[in-house]
Amino acid sequence: MTLHHPDLIVRPITGPDEVDLFNTLPYLLNDEVADDLTAQRRKPAWLWVALRGDRVVARAGWWSRPGDAQPAIMDIFDLAPGTGAQDGLQLLETALAAVVPEGTPRPEYSRFLAPDWRDHEDTRHDFESRFALLEQTGAKIFVERLRLEWLPGTPIREPDGRLEFRAPHDAAEVIGLMTRVLDGTLDAYSRDDLTRMTPGEAAEQQFREELARYTTPRDWWRIAVRAGDGDPVGFVIPAHNGYNPIIAYIGVVPEHRGHGHIDAILAAGTTVLAEQDMPRARASTDVGNTPMAAAFDRAGYRVFEREINLTWH
């Protein structure tokens, strides 16, 4: 599909041969686009450009898990310097209508930003203007998250003897613990899920759609139990998401919160990744989840980026 507006051509790329054209505008995900096409995490029909002549003035892109029929997230939206708002809006409206089937919820939009992006007037204006364009299509800012990174050589907390760790017995045990930790959760996505489903349904959906799809060994996963009686205290899911080793999920059940167990559980998950001789471990948490952010900070995870997510309803 190619749509012409006055002096503006809006279309998807034709295939891998136009990746360089799509990557004309800079963004940290550019290095992943070609590999994502090969791995079927992206499709040419999901990578759109707005052209004036042969110059890319705006672009938009979507991503999915390998082989999914529909995109899971819109993670690229860029404007060339000096591009008018109308060109950006035309790209958004045209591409959204083509990529997202009518009657289907629009995937959320995600943007990675420098930790101090608000401290620089030009950067702040650029992204606030971009978010305003998305809002004209019906999107709203949903959450801001901290992206965190642990590097080899950073000290890992020594066990304090209060907890022991083992692999999960089965998926049902993990889902059961996930259900319990949703009580009082500060995670924006989990809280949103709980407005539409029960804790058990939310936990099972996240397990099926996210955790079960990691290809790294499940014997990396750790259940934390109280030393002596084996009462489950919490759990941590170290994994690799295809790009980086990550702490995919971590939680403490309500009755064991407030005793500092999160530090030992996070240390156990970090140790698993460190033992794989990986170059880093990454994690993320909502800006508003201050207890979890503080735990990552105590563990030596440093904020290297922020992420802002917008959703359509």
Side-chain angles (χ1 to χ4, degrees):
M1 176 187 293
T2 300
L3 295 181
H4 297 262
H5 309 284
D7 302 320
L8 186 73
I9 296 175
V10 177
R11 64 170 177 84
I13 67 171
T14 57
D17 57 309
E18 286 198 323
V19 166
D20 287 345
L21 176 73
F22 183 79
N23 284 342
T24 300
L25 301 182
Y27 184 39
L28 60 89
L29 295 183
N30 283 4
D31 292 341
E32 300 173 358
V33 172
D35 288 343
D36 284 345
L37 280 170
T38 300
Q40 297 187 322
R41 291 185 288 253
R42 299 187 193 272
K43 300 178 182 181
W46 296 351
L47 300 175
W48 282 69
V49 291
L51 300 161
R52 288 194 177 278
D54 59 0
R55 177 173 175 260
V56 177
V57 297
R59 66 172 182 167
W62 285 259
W63 176 95
S64 75
R65 296 179 182 89
D68 282 359
Q70 302 298 330
I73 193 168
M74 177 185 178
D75 59 349
I76 296 174
F77 175 46
D78 293 301
L79 306 176
T83 297
Q86 188 57 42
D87 286 355
L89 187 60
Q90 194 67 63
L91 168 69
L92 283 174
E93 292 177 339
T94 304
L96 281 166
V99 172
V100 184
E102 186 174 356
T104 302
R106 290 175 172 178
E108 70 176 41
Y109 169 72
S110 167
R111 184 74 188 193
F112 298 143
L113 300 160
D116 61 349
W117 72 277
R118 287 188 177 88
D119 298 335
H120 305 279
E121 185 175 354
D122 55 344
T123 302
R124 186 178 69 252
H125 174 74
D126 177 25
F127 287 107
E128 288 178 347
S129 298
R130 195 172 315 192
F131 297 152
L133 285 177
L134 288 155
E135 288 175 340
Q136 288 187 52
T137 71
K140 300 292 182 185
I141 291 179
F142 178 71
V143 69
E144 182 169 352
R145 293 172 63 79
L146 304 175
R147 301 192 75 213
L148 305 129
E149 186 173 72
W150 178 93
L151 298 176
T154 304
I156 298 176
R157 179 189 178 97
E158 293 292 331
D160 59 18
R162 295 187 296 161
L163 299 179
E164 297 173 350
F165 294 89
R166 59 168 173 79
H169 295 314
D170 51 29
E173 181 181 31
V174 177
I175 293 170
L177 290 171
M178 291 172 67
T179 301
R180 292 168 65 186
V181 304
L182 287 173
D183 183 3
T185 181
L186 297 177
D187 181 85
Y189 287 97
S190 295
R191 291 166 70 93
D192 183 61
D193 285 343
L194 293 175
T195 66
R196 295 175 281 102
M197 59 188 84
T198 67
E201 290 168 341
E204 186 168 356
Q205 176 178 283
Q206 184 169 8
F207 183 91
R208 182 179 65 253
E209 295 183 358
E210 180 184 349
L211 303 188
R213 301 179 75 159
Y214 291 125
T215 59
T216 39
R218 291 194 185 183
D219 61 14
W220 288 8
W221 301 5
R222 295 289 183 266
I223 305 296
V225 300
R226 192 163 55 188
D229 62 11
D231 186 33
V233 170
F235 66 99
V236 61
I237 308 294
H240 197 293
N241 64 6
Y243 300 97
N244 291 286
I246 60 169
I247 300 295
Y249 201 127
I250 186 170
V252 177
V253 297
E255 61 268 30
H256 288 297
R257 291 173 184 160
H259 302 291
H261 292 312
I262 192 67
D263 294 326
I265 297 172
L266 179 54
T270 305
T271 296
V272 169
L273 296 177
E275 288 174 347
Q276 313 309 314
D277 195 27
M278 294 181 176
R280 69 186 70 84
R282 287 186 173 175
S284 62
T285 192
D286 295 0
V287 169
N289 192 347
T290 53
M292 194 66 243
F296 279 117
D297 183 67
R298 291 192 298 271
Y301 284 73
R302 298 293 172 251
V303 177
F304 72 97
E305 284 175 346
R306 289 185 177 231
E307 178 183 8
I308 292 186
N309 295 327
L310 287 79
T311 57
W312 285 263
H313 293 287

